[in-house]
Amino acid sequence: LSPSSAASDVYKRQLRYLEEYIKAGIDSVKVEGRMKSHLYASTISKVYSEALSYYKEHGHFLSEKLIEWEEELGKFTHRSYAPVNLIEKAKADTIFDEREHDSDINYVMVGRVIEANLNDSIVIEVRNAFNEGDTIEFLPYQGRAITYQTNLIKNMHGETIKRTKPTTLVKLPFIENIQVSNVIRMERA
């Protein structure tokens, strides 16, 4: 495996080991996140929460959802790991010391929802700029990402703008099922 495929592969493999962990009496799994992006932490938390809820209801992970969860885990960058570390103690030759970057990963966090005003608007804290006409994805706490084309963006004064700027607040028309703190991502061009 290349370092980048090993990186995304480790979470996919760990997802497949969850049933064994549960049966062995392990009731928590540490997922690094303190030094990671909000997109990273929110994606891992969302996928593992959905998987564990599915297991609680069905008693297994045998589902098409497993493929969907694995696809989600491949949409963010993270440092590399050796998959063997899931079942054996890490050794010097299985730990990589790389920064979090991968040119094969095409998603970037563009912001997070800080207000959701029913039938009016949502307010977004922008982290990475996006343009009118761009397609963005909201990550709900449960279920698939909600895709939205940004045909109307307003600043906080109500003026229509064509491009957002990092560290600003912007408004979009209200979108059904969007909640405060949902993370927003966009595929890189």
Side-chain angles (χ1 to χ4, degrees):
L1 293 173
S2 71
S4 63
S5 66
S8 62
D9 194 48
V10 73
Y11 289 105
K12 294 175 188 176
R13 288 179 188 237
Q14 185 165 325
L15 192 60
R16 291 179 181 256
Y17 287 133
L18 278 179
E19 188 167 1
E20 291 178 41
Y21 295 168
I22 293 166
K23 288 179 179 175
I26 297 170
D27 59 6
S28 67
V29 177
K30 181 171 180 1
V31 176
E32 66 175 357
R34 180 179 44 208
M35 301 297 289
K36 300 298 180 185
S37 70
H38 290 283
L39 180 58
Y40 176 100
S42 64
T43 302
I44 293 284
S45 299
K46 175 187 179 309
V47 167
Y48 276 70
S49 175
E50 286 182 9
L52 291 169
S53 293
Y54 184 93
Y55 184 85
K56 185 176 181 181
E57 182 178 336
H58 297 94
H60 60 79
F61 290 110
L62 303 175
S63 167
E64 293 293 318
K65 298 285 289 175
L66 186 60
I67 295 167
E68 180 183 321
W69 296 324
E70 289 176 344
E71 287 172 357
E72 282 297 307
L73 293 174
K75 291 183 178 179
F76 57 87
T77 60
H78 40 272
R79 67 184 173 97
S80 298
Y81 298 89
V84 71
N85 292 350
L86 296 174
I87 51 179
E88 297 175 11
K89 186 174 179 175
K91 299 175 185 152
D93 63 339
T94 65
I95 300 173
F96 299 94
D97 186 23
E98 298 172 356
R99 297 299 298 163
E100 194 178 293
H101 58 77
D102 188 341
S103 60
D104 294 336
I105 305 297
N106 292 325
Y107 286 85
V108 62
M109 179 180 171
V110 295
R112 70 181 181 93
V113 176
I114 62 168
E115 278 184 34
N117 304 309
L118 186 63
N119 299 321
D120 180 31
S121 63
I122 60 170
V123 177
I124 296 171
E125 174 190 20
V126 179
R127 298 285 177 92
N128 288 291
F130 60 94
N131 300 305
E132 177 182 69
D134 283 346
T135 300
I136 59 178
E137 295 180 357
F138 293 83
L139 298 180
Y141 299 114
Q142 293 285 322
R144 291 185 176 268
I146 299 168
T147 303
Y148 178 78
Q149 186 167 4
T150 57
N151 293 323
L152 178 63
I153 308 169
K154 292 186 177 186
N155 63 22
M156 294 307 288
H157 300 291
E159 303 161 332
T160 301
I161 59 175
K162 300 284 185 191
R163 181 173 173 78
T164 65
K165 295 178 184 174
T167 71
T168 62
L169 301 178
V170 298
K171 289 184 178 183
L172 296 179
F174 180 75
I175 303 163
E176 195 71 34
N177 299 318
I178 301 301
Q179 296 178 314
V180 171
S181 294
N182 284 157
V183 169
I184 307 158
R185 68 182 178 202
M186 180 174 68
E187 199 163 1
R188 292 180 187 165

